[in-house]
Amino acid sequence: MSGRNEIKPPAKPASIKDIARLAKVSHSTVSRALHNHPLVNAKTAERIRQLARKHGYRPSAAARSLVTQRSFTIGVVVTTISDPFVAGVVGGIEEIAAAHGFSVFLANSNADPEQEVRVVQSFDERRVDGIVVTSSRVGALYVPVLSRRQVPIVLLNNQHPSQFAYSVVINSTQGASDVTAHLIELGHRRIAFLGDEFGRQSDTERLAGYREALTQAEIPFNRHYIVHGDGKAEGAITAMGKLLALPQRPTAVVCYNDMSALGAMHCIHGAGFTIPGDISLVGFDDLHMSQYLNPPLTTIRQPMHEMGRLAMQTLIAILSGVISQQNFTVPGQLIVRASTAPPRKEP
Amino acid sequence: MSGRNEIKPPAKPASIKDIARLAKVSHSTVSRALHNHPLVNAKTAERIRQLARKHGYRPSAAARSLVTQRSFTIGVVVTTISDPFVAGVVGGIEEIAAAHGFSVFLANSNADPEQEVRVVQSFDERRVDGIVVTSSRVGALYVPVLSRRQVPIVLLNNQHPSQFAYSVVINSTQGASDVTAHLIELGHRRIAFLGDEFGRQSDTERLAGYREALTQAEIPFNRHYIVHGDGKAEGAITAMGKLLALPQRPTAVVCYNDMSALGAMHCIHGAGFTIPGDISLVGFDDLHMSQYLNPPLTTIRQPMHEMGRLAMQTLIAILSGVISQQNFTVPGQLIVRASTAPPRKEP
DNA sequence: CAGTCGGCTGCAAACGTGTGCATCACTTGA
DNA sequence: TCAAGTGATGCACACGTTTGCAGCCGACTG
């Protein structure tokens, strides 16, 4: 927090009064002309607009929002923008925001509570009109802001949903169930689950979906087949190692997400096994790269871009006073690729 | 550009005058107390600060920047945040920005000129203190803003550098030369280059580096070994297909970036060849996933996060009035992994 | 010809903050 | 006792907009 000192101001841009002086009218008239207000003479208005264009006049958003009490900005908090899923979501948010004249503030929290507090303060000072929180573990932390300033908050795939906020979530249970069912249909019975120890809500739900499919097929649950990584490739490698060390190895693994599947894939290949020959592998997300992996990954597609769009559309609806649905659950779609196949025949 | 109408304002937050009323002092005193100005009584100041904290007072950034003529915001333009390289850069920018009390506006241009104009206008209205443009083809487009308002602009890996702006670029020539030399050292002589038809500056430079290494080793240049994709996996697949169709296939391929390498890898495997057995493959970027590919990818590491940090640090230096170096060229680092090996012995 | 009305324009206040300058109370020194 | 000085505070203006209201001018009506 240093360095906010001794900073020199840039050149001053043209103000509405400058334009007024040039047009020989009051600044009120200029304001009205630029807003196409009907109460200003058509010819004068056109003359003013031309002058404004000529001098590259841009109204100050700060001054405007001071009087209108609306900033036309929203804040987006993410754990890290380097996560490809998060980046996809942010892309969707930004697209809709821009189309409606909103600018978006992006802030990384790095899952650091102290940093999250700073982000909230920053958004508060900026008087953002709304907030989207993606994949955070502490979305609830943002609720105080909401209660004080009535700023609508949309939680996207939050790990700790609050009933006081709006939300957009993937149907984790259904997705995990579908992908597990797909493996069962192929003939697998020794199916493991590689979760994310940090993914509270979604990990629980995906595990539930996995178990649901097992139950449905009357396959007994084996607790040794449940291991946990960190939702990234690194943690998945260790976790996958544990599965490979089991006396009776699984013939298929359901991974928490595609990045975990990538790590697991790396581990499996490193140990000299083949996919899907020795082990079938599935992910969750359908990241852009997943279709090009070797082998291409079977997974549950999470429409990240659309989810981002939906979050922003919800925000705009709320701000427009439209009564919006509180909670959206979007379905995942099973994408079958070459990383899954029937298990090898028992010798 | 619809929907900026009929939007209801949120609850009004506490203002400096509210705090002043509660503390029974003028708003000037409150302002000074919160800035730790020495000319206010220590006890009064503490009392005011407590009151402010108790009522969750946050000064309005808009009002402040109106009088100080500084917004403590910067604008970041990217073609698409879904590009993992771009996301890494933005992460670095945001980290430094946050540490210095700056907030960042993120805008996607989608490489659409019309959209770029809108972004410039938006940043102009918001009175951003600085701009970072990443991997754009039209960075020059932002210069008019600079000339009118003296807003410093830092171009990061821009495809059309302007001598009027600051810049941070990867040393593409050196990187491509190093990675090509690595292949030559392994014994390859039939080396192809798979470029990016849209990457003006960087494609030219990487191609130059490739040729430089060939010349150094006295390997004749073969124009049939030059093909172009689109910098993404999709385009690389088609381009790689052309190389595989050649009567005398190359034994190694230098790709424009890791995403292209991913596509090429997919194509090669799809055609039944092995890596690095039949063909050695190298990329450029060292994306996070690259180390986990099958096989792990040899590439040039581009320190994206650090480049983002450097860009933001440069911006802050300029804003602080420190005379900063105009152009930074950062070196790439050769990372050797399993996608490269000596060529198979000729039969 | 006086009065009214409609179309256009300007005045002034407000939004929330920072800051130069005047002011006030009180202490100190001669 | 009075002048000067010191420390703390308030006044008032500025920043660049938006907007309710008053006012002006010309034309039309009775």
Side-chain angles (χ1 to χ4, degrees):
Chain A
M1 263 308 190
S2 67
R4 278 189 81 141
N5 328 316
E6 314 145 33
I7 290 199
K8 61 174 183 184
K12 249 168 107 176
S15 86
I16 199 172
K17 292 187 183 174
D18 296 329
I19 305 299
R21 202 175 309 119
L22 291 165
K24 297 188 198 306
V25 294
S26 77
H27 72 277
S28 327
T29 304
V30 176
S31 173
R32 281 189 268 260
L34 298 177
H35 284 83
N36 297 318
H37 195 289
L39 276 187
V40 43
N41 183 286
K43 274 177 294 185
T44 333
E46 186 49 37
R47 188 167 53 89
I48 291 174
R49 279 191 287 264
Q50 284 199 6
L51 234 51
R53 209 174 312 129
K54 179 180 161 196
H55 290 80
Y57 166 73
R58 294 263 147 240
S60 155
R64 168 183 295 159
S65 70
L66 202 54
V67 30
T68 61
Q69 301 286 350
R70 295 300 313 280
S71 67
F72 282 98
T73 60
I74 63 142
V76 175
V77 206
V78 302
T79 50
T80 165
I81 189 68
S82 297
D83 180 322
F85 171 77
V86 168
V89 168
V90 171
I93 294 173
E94 205 272 340
E95 179 187 323
I96 300 297
H100 289 258
F102 281 77
S103 295
V104 353
F105 281 117
L106 178 71
N108 290 11
S109 71
N110 299 313
D112 171 16
E114 208 171 313
Q115 180 69 13
E116 306 238 8
V117 172
R118 289 231 283 272
V119 170
V120 176
Q121 295 191 354
S122 160
F123 285 173
D124 206 359
E125 293 192 1
R126 304 286 180 193
R127 302 288 191 264
V128 297
D129 293 335
I131 294 179
V132 180
V133 183
T134 304
S135 313
S136 166
R137 288 169 221 152
V138 289
L141 202 143
Y142 295 88
V143 173
V145 182
L146 170 138
S147 60
R148 192 187 311 134
R149 263 192 67 229
Q150 308 272 32
V151 178
I153 300 186
V154 176
L155 267 29
L156 200 149
N157 272 11
N158 210 262
Q159 301 301 349
H160 192 218
S162 157
Q163 50 181 324
F164 301 109
Y166 293 77
S167 67
V168 173
V169 297
I170 186 74
N171 192 333
S172 281
T173 312
Q174 167 250 318
S177 170
D178 284 2
V179 83
T180 308
H182 161 67
L183 291 168
I184 295 171
E185 209 164 300
L186 285 173
H188 293 271
R189 293 187 59 85
R190 303 209 307 268
I191 305 173
F193 179 83
L194 195 164
D196 172 6
E197 59 169 328
F198 300 118
R200 281 185 53 78
Q201 173 95 349
S202 50
D203 184 71
T204 309
E205 288 180 7
R206 289 178 199 182
L207 181 56
Y210 157 85
R211 295 194 62 164
E212 186 181 299
L214 290 190
T215 306
Q216 193 84 22
E218 297 182 356
I219 299 177
F221 173 72
N222 179 344
R223 66 181 176 81
H224 297 105
Y225 281 172
I226 307 297
V227 292
H228 277 84
D230 57 359
K232 293 183 264 186
E234 288 71 15
I237 292 176
T238 319
M240 189 66 219
K242 289 184 203 158
L243 289 176
L244 291 181
L246 250 35
Q248 196 174 40
R249 278 193 311 274
T251 62
V253 181
V254 174
C255 295
Y256 174 79
N257 61 10
D258 283 9
M259 284 311 288
S260 294
L262 182 64
M265 198 178 261
H266 186 70
C267 176
I268 294 170
H269 284 141
F273 295 103
T274 63
I275 303 172
D278 296 310
I279 297 180
S280 281
L281 196 67
V282 304
F284 201 114
D285 277 354
D286 193 25
L287 300 180
H288 181 239
M289 63 160 196
S290 299
Q291 61 192 304
Y292 300 117
L293 292 179
N294 180 24
L297 189 68
T298 291
T299 189
I300 293 291
R301 174 172 299 164
Q302 208 174 163
M304 24 191 191
H305 205 269
E306 283 67 30
M307 289 171 76
R309 292 167 50 111
L310 180 55
M312 188 64 210
Q313 279 159 349
T314 303
L315 220 42
I316 288 174
I318 302 166
L319 291 172
S320 309
V322 178
I323 295 131
S324 164
Q325 189 180 334
Q326 270 256 10
N327 303 295
F328 293 89
T329 303
V330 324
Q333 186 196 351
L334 176 64
I335 307 287
V336 177
R337 299 206 183 94
S339 71
T340 47
R344 187 161 289 168
K345 292 280 180 289
E346 293 284 332
Chain B
M1 264 305 190
S2 68
R4 276 189 80 143
N5 330 316
E6 316 147 30
I7 290 198
K8 62 173 181 185
K12 250 170 109 176
S15 87
I16 198 171
K17 292 187 184 174
D18 297 329
I19 304 300
R21 201 173 311 117
L22 291 165
K24 298 187 198 303
V25 293
S26 76
H27 77 275
S28 327
T29 305
V30 176
S31 173
R32 281 189 268 259
L34 298 177
H35 284 84
N36 296 319
H37 195 291
L39 275 187
V40 42
N41 183 286
K43 273 178 294 183
T44 336
E46 187 48 37
R47 188 166 54 89
I48 293 175
R49 278 191 288 267
Q50 285 199 7
L51 233 52
R53 210 173 314 127
K54 179 179 162 197
H55 290 80
Y57 167 73
R58 294 267 147 235
S60 154
R64 169 183 293 159
S65 71
L66 202 53
V67 32
T68 61
Q69 300 286 347
R70 296 299 313 282
S71 67
F72 281 98
T73 61
I74 66 143
V76 175
V77 205
V78 302
T79 49
T80 165
I81 189 68
S82 297
D83 180 323
F85 171 78
V86 168
V89 168
V90 171
I93 294 173
E94 204 272 341
E95 178 187 325
I96 300 297
H100 289 257
F102 280 77
S103 294
V104 354
F105 281 117
L106 178 71
N108 290 11
S109 72
N110 299 314
D112 171 15
E114 207 172 314
Q115 180 68 13
E116 307 238 6
V117 172
R118 290 230 284 271
V119 170
V120 176
Q121 294 191 354
S122 159
F123 285 173
D124 206 359
E125 293 192 1
R126 304 284 181 195
R127 303 289 191 263
V128 296
D129 292 334
I131 294 178
V132 180
V133 183
T134 304
S135 313
S136 167
R137 289 167 218 155
V138 289
L141 202 143
Y142 295 88
V143 173
V145 182
L146 170 139
S147 61
R148 191 188 313 134
R149 264 192 66 227
Q150 308 272 33
V151 178
I153 300 187
V154 176
L155 266 30
L156 200 149
N157 273 12
N158 211 261
Q159 301 300 348
H160 192 220
S162 157
Q163 52 182 323
F164 300 108
Y166 293 77
S167 66
V168 172
V169 297
I170 187 73
N171 192 333
S172 281
T173 313
Q174 167 249 317
S177 169
D178 284 2
V179 82
T180 309
H182 161 68
L183 290 168
I184 294 172
E185 210 165 298
L186 286 172
H188 292 273
R189 292 185 60 84
R190 303 210 307 269
I191 306 173
F193 178 83
L194 194 164
D196 172 7
E197 60 169 328
F198 301 117
R200 282 185 52 78
Q201 172 96 349
S202 50
D203 184 72
T204 310
E205 288 180 7
R206 290 177 198 183
L207 181 56
Y210 157 85
R211 295 194 62 164
E212 187 181 297
L214 290 189
T215 307
Q216 194 82 21
E218 297 183 355
I219 298 177
F221 174 73
N222 179 344
R223 68 182 175 80
H224 296 105
Y225 281 172
I226 308 296
V227 292
H228 278 84
D230 57 359
K232 291 182 265 186
E234 287 72 15
I237 293 177
T238 318
M240 189 66 219
K242 290 185 201 158
L243 289 176
L244 291 181
L246 250 34
Q248 196 172 39
R249 277 194 311 275
T251 64
V253 182
V254 173
C255 296
Y256 173 79
N257 61 11
D258 284 9
M259 283 312 287
S260 295
L262 181 64
M265 200 177 260
H266 186 70
C267 176
I268 293 169
H269 284 141
F273 296 104
T274 64
I275 302 172
D278 296 310
I279 297 179
S280 282
L281 196 67
V282 304
F284 201 113
D285 277 353
D286 193 26
L287 300 181
H288 180 240
M289 62 160 195
S290 299
Q291 61 191 305
Y292 300 117
L293 293 179
N294 179 26
L297 189 67
T298 293
T299 190
I300 293 291
R301 173 172 300 164
Q302 209 174 162
M304 21 190 194
H305 206 268
E306 283 67 30
M307 289 171 75
R309 293 167 50 108
L310 181 55
M312 188 63 210
Q313 278 158 350
T314 303
L315 220 42
I316 288 174
I318 301 165
L319 291 173
S320 309
V322 177
I323 295 130
S324 162
Q325 190 179 332
Q326 269 256 10
N327 303 295
F328 293 89
T329 304
V330 323
Q333 185 196 351
L334 176 64
I335 307 288
V336 178
R337 299 207 183 94
S339 72
T340 48
R344 187 160 290 168
K345 292 281 179 290
E346 293 281 335

